[in-house]
Amino acid sequence: MPKVQLTTDGSCIGNPGPGGWACILRSDELERELIGRDPHTTNNRMELKAAIEGLAVLEETCEVEVVTDSEYLRRGVTERLARWKTNGWKTAVGKVVFNQDLWKQLDAQVARHSVSWTWVRGHGNNPDQNRCDGLSRAAALEQEAMLALR
């Protein structure tokens, strides 16, 4: 099974506001960067979108290490997702899970692979995380500029 490291980040100006996401996929000596944006979103949605899109481009089942600075993303997948599904997409106190549409997409992508989750401190000493931060921030700023032209 191919091994892939997927580093992700999301950014939002205003939260909610214009946002961007980025991810870097590494396997052996191959590297690929993906970037996207959304005109009206939240930081958490962009964190989810980066992981979804990174996993979605993998054409075959892979052993994937997802590296993220988002506890929302990591803990959501590793600690809460199974319970949310069992509870009909409700939290422990009976409220509807925020960003359910994206959690369902992420769940489908995770099911295709063998995935582990690694948290790193944002703006720390992880070069790929710092690169993703810059790319996602640039995408959010680009989205903001595009909205200003309307």
Side-chain angles (χ1 to χ4, degrees):
M1 188 181 313
K3 293 184 179 187
V4 176
Q5 184 178 66
L6 169 62
T7 304
T8 67
D9 203 13
S11 180
C12 193
I13 299 168
N15 204 28
W21 60 265
C23 64
I24 299 171
L25 296 111
R26 288 188 186 279
S27 181
D28 296 321
E29 295 184 19
L30 302 174
E31 176 185 323
R32 182 171 178 190
E33 293 180 351
L34 303 174
I35 303 163
R37 60 188 63 82
D38 192 301
H40 188 76
T41 190
T42 64
N43 190 74
N44 285 341
R45 288 185 69 79
M46 293 294 88
E47 296 282 359
L48 286 161
K49 194 71 172 167
I52 292 164
E53 296 297 331
L55 291 168
V57 299
L58 299 172
E59 295 177 359
E60 61 183 291
T61 300
C62 296
E63 184 178 322
V64 183
E65 177 194 19
V66 179
V67 178
T68 180
D69 67 353
S70 171
E71 285 285 16
Y72 172 77
L73 174 60
R74 187 190 64 81
R75 292 182 72 199
V77 169
T78 62
E79 299 173 17
R80 298 183 180 114
L81 186 59
R83 187 174 51 230
W84 290 337
K85 289 167 42 177
T86 300
N87 292 342
W89 292 98
K90 301 253 194 261
T91 66
V93 294
K95 294 184 179 180
V96 174
V97 172
F98 285 131
N99 303 318
Q100 186 179 134
D101 59 329
L102 294 179
W103 283 113
K104 287 179 178 178
Q105 290 177 41
L106 182 59
D107 185 41
Q109 291 303 322
V110 167
R112 297 177 48 233
H113 305 284
S114 174
V115 181
S116 62
W117 298 84
T118 302
W119 179 83
V120 296
R121 185 171 308 282
H123 312 283
N125 62 359
N126 184 300
D128 283 350
Q129 182 62 45
N130 291 334
R131 174 87 177 130
C132 281
D133 178 69
L135 292 171
S136 65
R137 178 95 177 126
L141 289 169
E142 240 178 71
Q143 184 64 59
E144 181 182 49
M146 289 169 42
L147 291 171
L149 295 175
R150 288 185 182 176

